[in-house]
Amino acid sequence: MSSALRHLPSGVRAGCIVLLSIILASYAMTAQTKASSAKSASRSDSWVKKTLRQLTISEKVGQLIMPAFRGVYLNDSSPEFRELAGDLQKYQVGGLILFAGDVYESALLIEKLQKMSKMPLFIASDFERGASFRIRNTVSLPWNMAIGATGDEHFAYLQGQITAREARALGVNWVFAPVLDVNNNPANPVINIRSYGEDPELVARMGAAFVRGAQEGGVMATGKHFPGHGDTATDSHLELPVVSASRARLGALEWVPFRRAIEAGVQAIMTAHLAVPALEGDAELPATLSERIMKGVLREELGFNNLIVTDSFKMAGLSDGYWIGDAAVRALQAGADIILDPPDVGVVHQALLSALQNGRLSEERINRSVERILRAKAWLGLSQKQKRAVAISREVADPEWQRQAQQMAEAGITLVRDVKQWIPQDLRRVRSVHALMILSRDQQEDTAAFQEALRERVDSVRFDRISITSQDEDWSRTLREVRGADLVVCAAFARVVTGSGQVGLPERLAGWMQELSELQNPVVAVALGNPYIIQQVPQLPAFLCTFSNADVSQVAAVKALFGEIPIRGKLPVTIPDVAPVRAGETREGLNQRLVLVPTADLQPVVEPLRALDGIIEEQIRERVFPGAVVAVGYRSQLVYHKPFGRLDYSSAGKPVSKTTVYDLASLTKVLAATPVAMHFLEKGELKLEYPLTRYYPDFHGQNRDKITVRHLLTHSAGFPAHLPFYKDIKGKSAFVKKILQTPLEYEPGSKAVYSDLGIILLGDILEKIGGDSLDHLARRIVFEPLGMSRTLFNPPRNLRPETAPTENDPWRGRLIRGEVHDENAYAMGGVSAHAGLFGTSGDLAVFCQMLLNGGIYDHKRIVKAGTIRRFTMRQDFPPGSSRALGWDTPSANSSAGDLFSGESFGHTGFTGTSIWIDPTRELFVVLLTNRVHPTRENNRIQQARRLVADTVVKAIEGRL
């Protein structure tokens, strides 16, 4: 120990020693890591040199060539597989390019090809928007321009990470991404949404972030297409484009992203088959074959020392002007290291060997490229024996990655125009949507995600697919029909397809979209791809851009349209005569939740509602109930929510709070059984006219076979009002059996008698359909989506102190608290369709607001608005009955009072609970009490309910 440490206080000395130990350990670990890295680098270097010496000249040439293959099942004897095997065995190609395919077929075929090859293979693919660019059933990532619209390079980094993770799981070790072209030409038919945008700094930031994400994930990234394909109006797949920009402009704009990618350590750069006269002087020489561009600019000026790979040799931009054998030699002379996707491997291989023999290429030149290739393979770890590290099923299409991809797509949504403030649309007020899919190519465009997202949200939606194959009469019919919709959504799937030479919409489709813009009803156009199409339809009043047709982008468009997400994206490109770069209107998401603090505009309602205070306090003094909670919702705001009294009549009783849990008794029928029935009805698994014999084949005699599900929901099945089965039997199955044996008291449908027995059967039927118990079904379908965490059957014991007691039950011989009060429900285990549910006023307020919202709450659809209307309207079945389906409607002297509208619906619970909902006023009233405490003989709750209901209506109408 040093003398300096000895003179320090013991505590400080101990701390210093610990700190010194940490520093020394860290230094040792760093030194060990450096030594390990150095050792690994030494091994890699040794492998590169050794392998290079061992390769024959033919094998070296083979390393420079990468043909393509499909990720599909191939029989060993099929011509396609035999050609692949020949490329590996005869020519020793250095790698392969994966085109379209499936997950397992691709992975297994790659593994097989790697085993067949003498040398480890590059397996590359154009994963420009992740593996989904080529491989089905992988994470759906948006196109690059959607990422550019976010302005957030974190998303580009994440894009690279997801791409690398799925690529490695498939066996792909090299991705031909990111696209670093600056799309500053709106007429570009080949880049477009493949680019991050027109701002070179934005493209540079995003591209470098992708490179870091991908290469940290263990795959090689590729910047493309050098020297820049963004300012072209010709598709290089079809002919040779010419870039007319000056050298100064290229350096200040097109090369900015490439410089940044090189700084980020990008492992490869892909050349473009385009001519740049300012650099080469020859307007017909592709950059791929230009030594001035490849060596002079990319190698020497920009300092790039890693792999240069050509674009596909099958593209007309190259092949129309050159024989592929000569083009391959010229590409190597210019500085390329790898010839990509030749139409014939043997021709290119032989041409390169011949060039070696006749002196056009030297072995030294070949060796430089092969050494770069081997170093890249060593960087990937291919010099070591490869094993599949993880199971494909754990890596590919990971839901968490998919969730983050969805966030990317949502963050990029950009609102270019909204002159009439139509976005967002409030689904609570949209009854019907007519969606037109404008398909720029043909009817094969995949629009399934967009359509499904609309179906999930909209009660009534119609779809029409309009494409270049549509006839004038088809359009005329569609134009007539859309006029009746509350909202017209025009989704333009106008993506750029390389090799098609097409950009934008066909003139005919653009003209039809222009006719839509003249409609009086709201018309919102959504560009699911090319954002420039608004130039063809300049009168569109509302224009939303996703910059992508990926599934996540289709879903994001629908979510933005209906205000589920805020709109924050900014245009990454200029749309001439429409909007400048970085333009974009912002929108907040729509609140579909119950507003808990009333806004100023409803204060005139809040003040009169205070009259309820005195009414409830008077009821408590009169011992109508020991305590209560009242919640009133009006126009989506909780304008009144107050607890009163205590849980019991003792002076020491715990005060009621807003979170007090009450036995809801028969509210179970409308909070659990009825919405679950609605759910199965919408799925087509339940119909009102289904007879009970469908579920109970032996249920015959005495008109039993006439009973339908509708009879159960309207209390008109013929069952007695109540029977005390609990005295003799236990268990749900015993109850169901006993009910099925019970004689009917009247002919089904002849009158209505409120009966628990029919609802108990309904619960059993729902459990048969759902394959689960009613409590689980209700929680999954209703309570969890709504966040109703304190609405449940059989509450746990730790909730009992917060639960209002019900009766001193003579049958059970104790005070009931936290156990269902209804004896039959108790005998069935506490879970039944007629009773058993416990809950709080706050949870019930959310449920009521969901119904007033038309079945939606916080952008989650529980049921459709049409289903709610169907179930809550008076059925008049049998004639004169006030019953709806599961629900009740106002009638003389009902608990709804005298002022609720005829469209209102509600229900009561025996323990002293009730809810009433008036959709015409956007009003609900929740009243929770434990009036049966300490005895059910207290029956004065009815007048209290009526008084509360009438007071609320008078307060909101200014009549108090």
Side-chain angles (χ1 to χ4, degrees):
M1 185 183 298
S2 72
S3 58
L5 284 177
R6 287 194 184 95
H7 294 293
L8 291 173
S10 59
V12 175
R13 186 168 64 245
C16 289
I17 292 171
V18 170
L19 180 60
L20 183 61
S21 300
I22 292 172
I23 293 171
L24 290 173
S26 175
Y27 176 80
M29 187 176 296
T30 303
Q32 185 178 2
T33 301
K34 286 181 178 179
S36 177
S37 298
K39 188 175 181 181
S40 176
S42 176
R43 280 200 304 266
S44 295
D45 189 61
S46 175
W47 177 81
V48 169
K49 291 177 179 177
K50 179 182 178 183
T51 304
L52 186 60
R53 288 195 304 269
Q54 291 176 343
L55 291 175
T56 67
I57 191 63
S58 176
E59 290 171 338
K60 289 177 183 178
V61 167
Q63 288 296 299
L64 310 180
I65 305 170
M66 288 181 63
F69 73 104
R70 296 183 305 138
V72 296
Y73 167 75
L74 297 176
N75 184 279
D76 286 355
S77 298
S78 66
E80 191 171 346
F81 184 80
R82 290 168 64 186
E83 182 179 355
L84 270 175
D87 290 342
L88 295 177
Q89 295 163 359
K90 184 175 180 181
Y91 302 113
Q92 296 292 313
V93 295
L96 298 166
I97 311 155
L98 173 64
F99 277 79
D102 299 287
V103 173
Y104 281 107
E105 285 84 346
S106 298
L108 292 174
L109 184 55
I110 288 169
E111 195 167 23
K112 183 174 183 176
L113 294 170
Q114 285 282 21
K115 289 178 180 177
M116 289 174 60
S117 178
K118 175 182 175 182
M119 287 286 294
L121 295 168
F122 285 134
I123 302 294
S125 194
D126 286 300
F127 286 178
E128 291 181 17
R129 59 176 186 89
S132 61
F133 190 78
R134 293 297 188 199
I135 307 300
R136 290 178 285 268
N137 299 312
T138 51
V139 171
S140 171
L141 284 164
W143 289 79
N144 284 348
M145 195 171 282
I147 307 295
T150 72
D152 189 345
E153 59 197 80
H154 164 72
F155 286 128
Y157 176 84
L158 187 61
Q159 180 191 23
Q161 284 272 295
I162 294 172
T163 300
R165 179 166 170 174
E166 290 200 306
R168 284 175 59 86
L170 292 166
V172 172
N173 48 44
W174 186 0
V175 295
F176 293 149
V179 173
L180 297 179
D181 301 308
V182 179
N183 197 82
N184 53 351
N185 188 336
N188 194 319
V190 67
I191 302 301
N192 200 269
I193 59 173
R194 297 168 68 196
S195 167
Y196 288 111
E198 71 173 40
D199 177 2
E201 181 59 30
L202 172 71
V203 177
R205 286 196 298 113
M206 296 297 174
F210 180 98
V211 168
R212 290 193 300 272
Q215 295 192 168
E216 286 173 18
V219 301
M220 295 202 311
T222 309
K224 62 185 189 184
H225 307 80
F226 191 80
H229 210 322
D231 190 12
T232 58
T234 302
D235 187 344
S236 51
H237 293 79
L238 303 177
E239 56 183 298
L240 181 69
V242 177
V243 176
S244 58
S246 68
R247 182 185 183 92
R249 208 289 297 276
L250 290 166
L253 195 148
E254 275 84 354
W255 298 344
V256 172
F258 289 97
R259 286 195 190 96
R260 194 73 58 82
I262 291 168
E263 291 170 5
V266 69
Q267 286 287 327
I269 287 179
M270 180 182 288
T271 69
H273 300 325
L274 48 80
V276 191
L279 300 179
E280 178 55 52
D282 184 347
E284 295 184 358
L285 182 69
T288 301
L289 310 184
S290 168
E291 186 173 354
R292 291 179 181 176
I293 295 174
M294 294 299 104
K295 286 184 181 177
V297 177
L298 186 54
R299 289 285 188 211
E300 295 171 7
E301 186 174 335
L302 300 188
F304 181 65
N305 296 314
N306 294 331
L307 286 173
I308 296 177
V309 58
T310 73
D311 207 338
S312 170
F313 259 48
K314 292 176 182 175
M315 294 166 62
L318 180 74
S319 62
D320 276 2
Y322 298 86
W323 170 60
I324 60 165
D326 182 44
V329 174
R330 287 171 175 258
L332 267 291
Q333 289 175 328
D337 296 304
I338 294 179
I339 307 301
L340 201 66
D341 190 26
D344 190 309
V345 172
V347 168
V348 169
H349 192 271
Q350 183 56 49
L352 294 177
L353 286 177
S354 296
L356 281 163
Q357 292 169 357
N358 62 32
R360 291 183 68 191
L361 288 173
S362 67
E363 186 170 358
E364 180 186 2
R365 168 66 192 90
I366 298 297
N367 285 345
R368 286 201 299 273
S369 287
V370 174
E371 184 173 351
R372 287 194 191 99
I373 289 167
L374 294 176
R375 290 196 183 282
K377 289 184 176 183
W379 183 89
L380 287 168
L382 297 181
S383 58
Q384 309 298 316
K385 190 170 183 180
Q386 297 293 298
K387 278 187 177 180
R388 188 171 298 283
V390 292
I392 293 173
S393 59
R394 290 202 302 270
E395 291 293 297
V396 175
D398 185 316
E400 175 56 24
W401 288 121
Q402 189 60 70
R403 184 188 67 79
Q404 296 189 48
Q406 186 64 54
Q407 289 181 341
M408 287 182 212
E410 292 169 8
I413 296 291
T414 302
L415 183 58
V416 176
R417 179 187 291 168
D418 188 17
V419 295
K420 297 186 178 181
Q421 301 294 296
W422 280 339
I423 298 173
Q425 289 280 316
D426 193 335
L427 267 177
R428 293 170 292 188
R429 293 167 180 81
V430 176
R431 294 167 300 173
S432 62
V433 171
H434 199 132
L436 305 181
M437 259 52 63
I438 306 297
L439 313 175
S440 65
R441 301 194 70 220
D442 53 42
Q443 289 282 357
Q444 301 306 309
E445 182 75 45
D446 186 0
T447 64
F450 187 79
Q451 292 182 233
E452 183 58 30
L454 276 174
R455 284 195 190 97
E456 287 176 355
R457 290 161 175 80
V458 181
D459 202 24
S460 174
V461 59
R462 175 170 178 174
F463 299 97
D464 277 310
R465 296 171 71 85
I466 307 297
S467 74
I468 53 176
T469 63
S470 299
Q471 303 300 311
D472 288 341
E473 53 268 28
D474 298 328
W475 176 248
S476 297
R477 173 189 54 78
T478 299
L479 197 59
R480 287 193 306 271
E481 291 171 347
V482 298
R483 298 178 192 276
D486 290 342
L487 173 67
V488 178
V489 179
C490 182
F493 288 80
R495 62 190 174 95
V496 169
V497 178
T498 57
S500 70
Q502 177 183 311
V503 60
L505 288 169
E507 185 177 341
R508 192 156 164 246
L509 296 184
W512 286 349
M513 281 187 69
Q514 185 64 36
E515 290 184 52
L516 282 177
S517 69
E518 298 166 5
L519 294 176
Q520 295 303 308
N521 40 339
V523 178
V524 175
V526 182
L528 287 147
N530 184 355
Y532 301 106
I533 62 169
I534 191 174
Q535 293 178 282
Q536 300 175 266
V537 197
Q539 302 306 315
L540 284 172
F543 187 62
L544 194 69
C545 286
T546 69
F547 313 100
S548 170
N549 66 327
D551 286 357
V552 285
S553 300
Q554 295 184 35
V555 172
V558 175
K559 293 174 79 170
L561 178 61
F562 295 120
E564 291 182 37
I565 55 174
I567 299 175
R568 296 278 189 271
K570 299 297 179 182
L571 271 175
V573 292
T574 297
I575 303 179
D577 302 320
V578 176
V581 65
R582 305 312 297 160
E585 299 185 34
T586 60
R587 292 288 186 274
E588 297 301 321
L590 284 178
N591 177 41
Q592 293 184 344
R593 298 173 65 88
L594 187 63
V595 178
L596 302 181
V597 180
T599 54
D601 62 311
L602 286 188
Q603 286 305 312
V605 171
V606 173
E607 292 300 319
L609 281 171
R610 290 181 179 174
L612 288 171
D613 295 7
I615 291 172
I616 299 299
E617 288 165 358
E618 175 64 20
Q619 302 301 308
I620 292 172
R621 285 194 297 271
E622 294 293 324
R623 297 178 73 86
V624 176
F625 38 72
V629 186
V630 182
V632 178
Y634 180 56
R635 294 183 181 174
S636 302
Q637 298 184 40
L638 195 59
V639 292
Y640 185 93
H641 190 198
K642 286 188 179 181
F644 299 89
R646 299 179 181 276
L647 299 185
D648 57 42
Y649 286 109
S650 70
S651 59
K654 185 177 181 179
V656 174
S657 73
K658 292 179 182 179
T659 58
T660 295
V661 179
Y662 282 90
D663 182 337
L664 301 176
S666 285
L667 292 189
T668 304
K669 296 178 175 70
V670 293
L671 292 169
T674 301
V676 171
M678 291 176 172
H679 172 81
F680 288 134
L681 186 86
E682 289 181 353
K683 290 183 67 178
E685 296 176 14
L686 179 71
K687 293 185 178 179
L688 297 178
E689 304 313 320
Y690 277 166
L692 261 62
T693 52
R694 178 185 179 93
Y695 308 100
Y696 310 108
D698 297 329
F699 189 57
H700 291 289
Q702 200 196 0
N703 294 316
R704 287 184 175 89
D705 50 359
K706 294 182 180 180
I707 300 175
T708 64
V709 172
R710 182 188 297 275
H711 288 112
L712 301 182
L713 284 162
T714 55
H715 298 276
S716 60
F719 292 114
H722 174 75
L723 289 173
F725 292 147
Y726 66 91
K727 294 181 179 179
D728 303 311
I729 58 175
K730 288 184 179 181
K732 190 172 295 183
S733 59
F735 266 77
V736 169
K737 182 178 179 180
K738 189 73 171 178
I739 294 170
L740 294 174
Q741 294 170 349
T742 299
L744 301 182
E745 289 192 343
Y746 55 92
E747 182 178 349
S750 63
K751 62 179 180 178
V753 175
Y754 183 80
S755 172
D756 288 343
L757 305 187
I759 300 299
I760 291 171
L761 286 186
L762 174 66
D764 186 60
I765 290 169
L766 296 175
E767 291 181 342
K768 290 177 186 294
I769 295 171
D772 206 346
S773 61
L774 181 63
D775 55 336
H776 291 168
L777 293 171
R779 183 172 69 243
R780 174 172 56 84
I781 295 168
V782 185
F783 306 147
E784 284 185 352
L786 292 177
M788 296 169 63
S789 59
R790 285 203 166 189
T791 303
L792 67 170
F793 292 88
N794 289 323
R797 294 184 69 87
N798 63 358
L799 273 185
R800 288 191 179 179
E802 301 175 60
T803 304
T806 52
E807 193 173 17
N808 273 313
D809 184 13
W811 176 59
R812 278 171 271 190
R814 63 177 183 274
L815 175 67
I816 304 305
R817 188 171 194 169
E819 300 174 284
V820 60
H821 176 258
D822 184 274
E823 295 92 346
N824 280 341
Y826 177 79
M828 283 189 280
V831 179
S832 178
H834 78 288
L837 200 61
F838 288 74
T840 64
S841 57
D843 277 7
L844 268 61
V846 166
F847 183 86
C848 293
Q849 189 60 50
M850 176 271 292
L851 294 173
L852 286 174
N853 286 353
I856 297 173
Y857 190 82
D858 197 21
H859 300 286
K860 300 181 184 72
R861 181 167 290 284
I862 308 303
V863 291
K864 293 181 178 178
T867 306
I868 293 173
R869 289 192 292 271
R870 184 180 184 184
F871 269 69
T872 58
M873 66 184 294
R874 184 175 295 195
Q875 298 292 295
D876 200 29
F877 180 81
S881 170
S882 67
R883 293 287 164 186
L885 295 170
W887 294 88
D888 199 4
T889 64
S891 59
N893 297 315
S894 78
S895 61
D898 296 323
L899 303 178
F900 266 66
S901 73
E903 286 73 38
S904 301
F905 54 94
H907 212 283
T908 61
F910 185 78
T911 53
T913 59
S914 64
I915 55 176
W916 278 97
I917 302 169
D918 188 340
T920 62
R921 292 188 174 95
E922 300 179 63
L923 171 70
F924 69 77
V925 179
V926 175
L927 173 61
L928 300 184
T929 79
N930 55 336
R931 69 95 189 170
V932 294
H933 179 77
T935 173
R936 71 184 69 191
E937 300 305 319
N938 173 10
N939 289 314
R940 291 182 291 169
I941 187 68
Q942 180 68 355
Q943 283 306 113
R945 287 168 172 157
R946 288 175 54 78
L947 186 56
V948 167
D950 286 345
T951 300
V952 168
V953 174
K954 289 176 182 178
I956 68 168
E957 293 185 348
R959 292 156 58 183
L960 282 180

